[in-house]
Amino acid sequence: MTVTLLDPGRLGAGAYFVDQFANTVNTAIFGQGLTSYETGSGWWRYAAWYGADGQVRVGRRSPGGGPWEVLTLPITLGSQDHHRTLSLGVSYVDGRLHLTGNCHNSAATYTRTAVAVLDNLPAWEPALFEAPTDTLVGTVAGFMTYPSCVSKPDGGLLLVYRNGISGNGRTRLASYDGAGWTVLGDVSSAGGTWTNPHTGVASTTRCLYWAGPLYDPIGRLHMTGTWREGNKSSWCSAGQPFGNHHAVYVYSDDGGVTWRNNAGALVATTGSTPFSVTSPGILADAGTGIGYCMQVPGMALGPGGLVGYLPDYVRGSLLPGADAVKCCSSEAQRVDLTGQHPRWRDPATGAWSAKSVVAGGQNVFCEYPPGRAGRGHMVFGPSGDMHVFFSGFRVYSATANSGYSDWALTFDGRKYLNAFGEAQIDRSRA
């Protein structure tokens, strides 16, 4: 199994500052600066990023390849903060490209193209976009962090974002139907009491760091995530750099109005009764050995109803003594020993299975370059084979027939792209 580089072309220069994960604002894992739109002539590709001058660029490329057409919008990066990623979305109902972002617990910047720009493909120029605003076409959505979009089966667009701060925030949805935006309300709650089983310390606020949501071919909407506690005293151990614990999985059969747990029981209604840390049956890791996650940044859907998510954390077997039953107790441990540990759900039984990325008998770690942590993505191939993206754009792949045990390096972006930091993938195509 190999992953082949089709095109080594570059979009252009980007805003460059590096955080602890070896990111720039253009490559942070929660950004969504790539998307595609299918026309009669094939898939047109779109990308958004901050240029070296901090101004937003939006690129377009034809299905046949060739150079990217690039325009500049009157939107400037608010600060050197990698949370201020950009997110693109497409609404088939009216052929618009939507862009939102440049926010971190603040009002987002939002703009969209005129109607049918994605279908009619006029000359690529800034006049195609509406004037940027801090509302959703007049709809006030509240302060945002991590806005991301997914096209709806009915042709509309779903926007998911955090309202509130890390450790005390709510996962919120807004929906676009062509006529305008509607804020549907909160999916997850910040409330409820969770007590660390190792320390006995309780926390009463949190937020959900989610992956997805993604629609499958039958219209079911899937979402995973991990809880981040607000009370730092409740975190895993003294000096431990992350307050994240357990992986959550929920799905919706009505476009995000109501949500069910893995067993199919109703656990939430968006806008009125969001799910919380105490909701029954929402843990996807109950039988797979995860207690404390660094993140759950990746989620993927595969053939035959296959669902997967990608937590990255430090394996207990790599930690000394008492730390082995908790999680990493130092920043150095987290950076040096974090790996990717995919989970996947049996479509027939709902049971979750687990496997770490171990190639040639060696754990594969996220760290790249030295001293920088990293988070990843995952995708399934058409036969159910799994591909996991590490920092440095390293891709490790395993076959479904092996039970995802025959991991091998199938692409090394360090070699072919001189890449570092976290990868972006086009989920509209994956």
Side-chain angles (χ1 to χ4, degrees):
M1 186 189 307
T2 60
V3 174
T4 303
L5 178 66
L6 296 179
D7 188 341
R10 296 178 181 271
L11 295 174
Y16 185 80
F17 54 92
V18 179
D19 70 358
Q20 63 178 329
F21 297 105
N23 292 319
T24 72
V25 69
N26 292 317
T27 64
I29 199 74
F30 35 77
Q32 194 181 10
L34 300 172
T35 195
S36 299
Y37 185 83
E38 189 174 18
T39 69
S41 61
W43 287 91
W44 282 76
R45 283 157 282 179
Y46 295 87
W49 69 98
Y50 295 99
D53 58 2
Q55 294 288 107
V56 169
R57 308 293 198 274
V58 183
R60 178 179 75 176
R61 199 180 197 197
S62 70
W68 284 83
E69 303 172 71
V70 179
L71 57 81
T72 301
L73 294 180
I75 301 171
T76 303
L77 177 64
S79 63
Q80 288 199 352
D81 176 359
H82 77 280
H83 296 83
R84 289 180 171 268
T85 53
L86 298 171
S87 178
L88 291 176
V90 296
S91 50
Y92 278 83
V93 69
D94 56 4
R96 294 184 193 259
L97 179 69
H98 302 252
L99 181 148
T100 187
N102 193 22
C103 55
H104 186 189
N105 192 30
S106 60
T109 303
Y110 170 81
T111 183
R112 62 180 181 175
T113 65
V115 170
V117 163
L118 301 186
D119 296 303
N120 296 335
L121 300 168
W124 194 238
E125 55 188 23
L128 297 176
F129 286 81
E130 297 177 352
T133 177
D134 62 1
T135 68
L136 300 174
V137 197
T139 297
V140 177
F143 281 7
M144 291 188 188
T145 308
Y146 313 129
S148 58
C149 297
V150 58
S151 297
K152 296 165 59 178
D154 64 5
L157 190 63
L158 192 69
L159 175 68
V160 57
Y161 58 97
R162 187 181 76 204
N163 176 255
I165 63 174
S166 176
N168 191 5
R170 299 147 296 280
T171 304
R172 185 168 289 179
L173 296 181
S175 177
Y176 178 79
D177 61 4
W181 284 93
T182 301
V183 176
L184 302 179
D186 296 338
V187 176
S188 73
S189 168
T193 299
W194 177 80
T195 302
N196 184 316
H198 300 297
T199 66
V201 178
S203 179
T204 57
T205 65
R206 65 204 48 81
C207 68
L208 182 74
Y209 284 125
W210 67 88
L214 297 174
Y215 285 97
D216 67 19
I218 66 171
R220 175 169 287 179
L221 185 64
H222 304 262
M223 183 165 63
T224 63
T226 185
W227 295 113
R228 171 67 169 265
E229 293 301 323
N231 180 9
K232 293 185 178 181
S233 297
S234 74
W235 289 9
C236 192
S237 59
Q240 197 276 331
F242 276 96
N244 297 8
H245 66 91
H246 294 93
V248 169
Y249 168 73
V250 291
Y251 70 87
S252 173
D253 284 330
D254 50 19
V257 177
T258 59
W259 296 85
R260 298 182 179 274
N261 64 17
N262 194 51
L266 181 68
V267 291
T269 299
T270 300
S272 60
T273 53
F275 66 81
S276 73
V277 73
T278 60
S279 295
I282 64 171
L283 296 186
D285 52 25
T288 58
I290 305 178
Y292 298 90
C293 303
M294 185 176 88
Q295 257 308 2
V296 181
M299 181 185 176
L301 303 179
L306 190 62
V307 178
Y309 71 95
L310 184 67
D312 42 33
Y313 60 91
V314 179
R315 296 178 72 179
S317 60
L318 300 176
L319 296 171
D323 288 343
V325 297
K326 299 178 183 178
C327 56
C328 53
S329 60
S330 70
E331 184 78 3
Q333 284 182 346
R334 181 184 66 84
V335 171
D336 294 343
L337 302 175
T338 293
Q340 311 284 18
H341 310 279
R343 268 65 177 151
W344 65 96
R345 182 178 184 267
D346 186 305
T349 67
W352 290 93
S353 298
K355 192 75 71 172
S356 297
V357 179
V358 177
Q362 300 295 317
N363 291 284
V364 181
F365 298 119
C366 299
E367 182 182 10
Y368 183 77
R372 304 285 183 177
R375 296 162 292 195
H377 282 298
M378 67 186 298
V379 296
F380 288 108
S383 299
D385 299 336
M386 189 186 298
H387 307 275
V388 173
F389 294 73
F390 285 77
S391 52
F393 221 103
R394 296 166 290 158
V395 183
Y396 281 81
S397 305
T399 63
N401 289 338
S402 73
Y404 306 119
S405 61
D406 57 349
W407 293 102
L409 179 65
T410 53
F411 184 80
D412 192 345
R414 299 168 301 181
K415 177 180 178 181
Y416 295 105
L417 300 174
N418 193 28
F420 72 97
E422 297 170 345
Q424 292 284 310
I425 64 171
D426 181 354
R427 289 212 171 277
S428 65
R429 298 296 301 277

